[in-house]
Amino acid sequence: MAELPQRQTDIGPPHYEQFLPPVIKKNYGKWIYHEELGPGYMVHVAESGDRVWTVRVASPRLLSTDTIKEICDIADKHCDGYLRFTTRNNIEFMVDDESKVEPLMKELKEKGYMIGGIGSRISNVVHTQGWVHCHSAATDASGIVKALMDELHEYFTSKDLQARVRLAVACCVNMCGAVHCSDIAIVGVHKTPPRIEHERLRNLCEIPSTVASCPTSAISPDPQKKSVKIKLEKCMYCGNCYSVCPSMPIADPKNDGVAIVVGGKVSNMRSHPMFSKLAIPWLPNNPPRWPEVVDAVRKILDAYIADARKHERVGEWIERIGWEKFFKLTNLEFKLQHVDDFTFARETWRMAATFKW
Amino acid sequence: MGTKHKTPLLDDLEKGPFPSFVTEIKKAAEHSEYAQDLLGQLELSFKEKVTHWKHGGIVGVRGYGSGVIGRYSDVPEEFPGVAHFHTLRVNSPSGFFYSTKALREICEVWDKYGSGLTNMHGSTGDIILLGTKTENLEPVFAELSSRGWDLGGSGSAVRTPSCCVGQARCEWSNIDTMAITHDITHHYQDEMHRPAFPYKFKFKVAGCAIDCIASIARADMSIIGTWKGDIQIDQDEVKAYAAAGMDIQKEIVELCPTGCMSWDGSELKINNEDCNRCMHCIAKMAKALRPGPEKGATILLGSKAPIVTGALMSWVIVPFMKMEPPYEEFYDLVDRIWEWWDEYGKNRERIGELIERLGFPRFLKEVGIEPHPAMVKEPRRDPFFFWSEEDIEK
């Protein structure tokens, strides 16, 4: 490895300025308005009169270097060698002249890229690693996203919704994708407690930190075995102990599955940011296409489309109609699991005599 | 090259209109044994409905405690190509803009030393280089850092800060999100690369309250651009929206959460004193309305995902701060907060959880922040509050 270049440390990321398309660099901080021109493209107008057209395409987030080189070819040909990614992992191509939009979109379509995701529709789905790369995944993430978006792609490419609907998938309750504030989100959940591998645990894990990791105090030391024990009835299957101690595996193929949560948002527009709340406590992992999950999301989305008002996000719609009506309109069963018995419980009980029949 | 595995379950996910991650792995598998065996192992997971990655493993590059996530297969005999499959987190540039030259360079290094698979980007905002062997970590780091790229954060450290597109291409951004993010990232290189905190600490910078970077949901410190002063109105453009078919009464005035607007068919009036700067009217009438003149940020603290006792969203700790270089007031605040967190935080306790455990009033007092009504939705409901020595008559 003698031919390796000299390593540098703590240099931080390169300065963003060198990566800005010239029209962006020139008009930085001087934009006055923008217009959505279609489901997948928009124009921003600067004080100088300059304009930048942006074309957005979907991405599976997991990209091969081959695909990255291909999008580089497209950006070299049409966009002076620059491109960007969005927070939701869409790819954005920018051009400084209207005449460049059509050839760019034509080539993107020919190469099979899916243009869309701007405005009141479904944008790319934020998601986590799942079985592709994670040790604590209770489900796969990329597989669910692919199955879901094959079903809902029209809401990315063409059809309008009342407002943007943000979808997200997290493969366990660690929620690396921060799905807890999404319009409709899917989260991998366990239904059974971890198993304790006593022989390994005594060599591998620190007992006090393992005990401390449990939010419901279900874990206590087992001095005889130099290990820990679990009060099974107190365990809520969060898997936090497994994060701290690898000898407490919690994956259970027969019982792992997903929950669906709805009504979250991060934007402050109109109403406060909202957490997503439980709509369906458990659906089975049924790869490769998770049909039960796709059906359930479709059902929730259809009820929203049928009943929500213009500009209303899923959470705002549900707040207006009430959760009792949400369960009625979506035809979802309200179960014991929907009633909170944890941190936020008090705030969620109905301390009023008013509700809808 | 290694073994070509049969993948009937994954093959099904190459069908359908949405871009397929399976196709991406297969493209890489044309030239990478890692990707070939990743396909094989992933097919096994799809068949058995369980992950086949072992728990953790400490690997890294010399002098750093973060930036690399160790990953080992639990079926390495079957899939030797992914026996080690470590991830490098490469610190992305602010705003996720790239030149094709830079992206190609990264691809070249990754094709030489890794799986040829990436995430653009990971949830926190790093360029994720997905899968390589332990012995390749130093070479990848040397190749990348010599070309000006550094690793991002992992473990109990500052995590790679990220931001919305900000002033680069958005008329609503009240602060220069990309400059602030770049500055924070460079300011805290040591805190990012050498984990020394009770747990992770994330910064995210949003230009306005629409919060395209989701800072309020997933950053320990959320910096959200805002303004003081009156919303700037172009009445002619308002009329143009009305003429183009927008029902201003219904879509703007009636959806204003504070009821501070009125429209008589020719003039839009805003009682700015009552405006809470939610961005609805501005976002729906981009040509007619613009944020007020005095720009700054609201600083919020504490958000995190549900693990373990429930999710938190960040809440206001500084209603308004000018965010201009060299950001002295900001860094002073961060350092005071970290000192308090270092003093009292338990292992794996986020700042939001610590404040919940010890109390928001105590945090304010000990960190030296004056209480302000903007910090709460409402005052407390119970009569159980503390006084200090100086409040007591002796």
Side-chain angles (χ1 to χ4, degrees), chain B residues 99 193 197 202 271 277 319:
Chain B
S99 67
H193 291 139
F197 290 154
K202 300 186 177 188
N271 178 5
R277 304 173 315 285

Side-chain angles (χ1 to χ4, degrees), chain A residues 33-137:
Chain A
Y33 71 91
H34 77 275
E35 282 180 295
E36 290 163 12
L37 303 172
Y41 77 120
M42 58 185 166
V43 63
H44 286 80
V45 181
E47 282 169 11
S48 64
D50 286 349
R51 287 159 192 257
V52 62
W53 284 262
T54 301
V55 179
R56 184 179 289 177
V57 304
S59 152
R61 185 179 84 134
L62 199 171
L63 297 178
S64 61
T65 48
D66 309 80
T67 296
I68 296 175
K69 285 178 238 169
E70 186 180 89
I71 61 174
C72 285
D73 289 341
I74 297 170
D76 282 339
K77 194 165 155 193
H78 299 272
C79 314
D80 303 319
Y82 299 94
L83 58 90
R84 80 175 285 266
F85 296 84
T86 71
T87 305
R88 304 189 72 85
N89 309 313
N90 300 284
I91 307 164
E92 287 187 337
F93 296 92
M94 291 150 286
V95 293
D96 57 8
D97 194 287
E98 195 168 12
S99 67
K100 297 177 182 172
V101 177
E102 174 60 33
L104 168 64
M105 286 172 86
K106 187 163 169 274
E107 176 157 4
L108 286 168
K109 278 180 201 158
E110 277 167 9
K111 293 218 156 87
Y113 289 89
M114 184 178 271
I115 298 171
I118 292 176
S120 295
R121 41 187 60 80
I122 291 175
S123 184
N124 230 29
V125 182
V126 164
H127 67 97
T128 58
Q129 298 289 17
W131 295 332
V132 171
H133 202 252
C134 186
H135 67 286
S136 74

Side-chain angles (χ1 to χ4, degrees), chain B residues 22-97:
Chain B
V22 176
T23 305
E24 293 302 313
I25 306 175
K26 283 191 178 178
K27 276 190 190 174
E30 291 293 318
H31 48 84
S32 154
E33 285 179 36
Y34 295 95
Q36 264 185 3
D37 276 354
L38 178 65
L39 276 173
Q41 182 177 311
L42 190 57
E43 178 74 12
L44 186 66
S45 283
F46 268 58
K47 199 169 136 202
E48 296 179 350
K49 305 182 187 184
V50 72
T51 187
H52 279 290
W53 298 109
K54 274 203 256 186
H55 191 295
I58 296 170
V59 286
V61 298
R62 224 165 359 100
Y64 279 25
S66 70
V68 182
I69 314 299
R71 192 64 77 219
Y72 298 91
S73 170
D74 72 1
V75 278
E77 299 80 15
E78 243 177 294
F79 306 107
V82 290
H84 310 191
F85 199 63
H86 311 316
T87 289
L88 288 111
R89 291 184 180 166
V90 180
N91 201 142
S92 53
S94 290
F96 309 122
F97 284 91

Side-chain angles (χ1 to χ4, degrees), chain A residues 8 10 28-29 31 34 63-65 67 69 76 83 92 129 133-134 146 215 242 270 289 311 343, chain B residues 12 18 24 27 51 55 64 71 85 87 100 104 111 119 145 167-168 171 176 193-194 251 308-309:
Chain A
Q8 301 186 77
D10 297 307
Y28 195 101
W31 301 99
H34 77 275
L63 297 178
S64 61
T65 48
T67 296
K69 285 178 238 169
D76 282 339
L83 58 90
E92 287 187 337
Q129 298 289 17
H133 202 252
C134 186
K146 167 69 176 150
Y242 178 59
R270 300 171 300 281
R289 289 211 168 250
H311 303 310
T343 309
Chain B
D12 192 63
F18 199 73
E24 293 302 313
K27 276 190 190 174
T51 187
H55 191 295
Y64 279 25
R71 192 64 77 219
F85 199 63
T87 289
T100 54
R104 285 180 204 280
D111 282 339
N119 289 150
S145 65
Q167 296 180 346
E171 66 272 24
D176 189 346
H193 291 139
R194 287 156 209 97
E251 288 187 48
V308 178
T309 55

Side-chain angles (χ1 to χ4, degrees), chain B residues 239-260:
Chain B
K239 279 181 224 158
Y241 276 103
M246 181 183 274
D247 185 338
I248 292 183
Q249 181 62 29
K250 208 169 158 192
E251 288 187 48
I252 306 296
V253 174
E254 287 173 21
L255 291 182
C256 170
T258 64
C260 75

Side-chain angles (χ1 to χ4, degrees), chain B residues 333 336-338 340-341 362-369:
Chain B
L333 175 73
R336 271 154 42 214
I337 291 169
W338 283 353
W340 190 78
W341 185 38
R362 178 170 166 189
F363 165 82
L364 293 174
K365 190 176 165 190
E366 293 183 0
V367 175
I369 303 172

Side-chain angles (χ1 to χ4, degrees), chain B residues 209-266:
Chain B
I210 297 173
D211 198 358
C212 290
I213 194 72
S215 71
I216 202 161
R218 55 192 197 126
D220 296 274
M221 183 173 272
S222 317
I223 300 154
I224 301 182
T226 194
W227 69 87
K228 287 180 174 177
D230 294 356
I231 291 177
Q232 303 164 57
I233 310 180
D234 182 333
Q235 295 292 352
D236 290 338
E237 290 291 353
V238 176
K239 279 181 224 158
Y241 276 103
M246 181 183 274
D247 185 338
I248 292 183
Q249 181 62 29
K250 208 169 158 192
E251 288 187 48
I252 306 296
V253 174
E254 287 173 21
L255 291 182
C256 170
T258 64
C260 75
M261 310 178 87
S262 64
W263 165 247
D264 62 7
S266 66

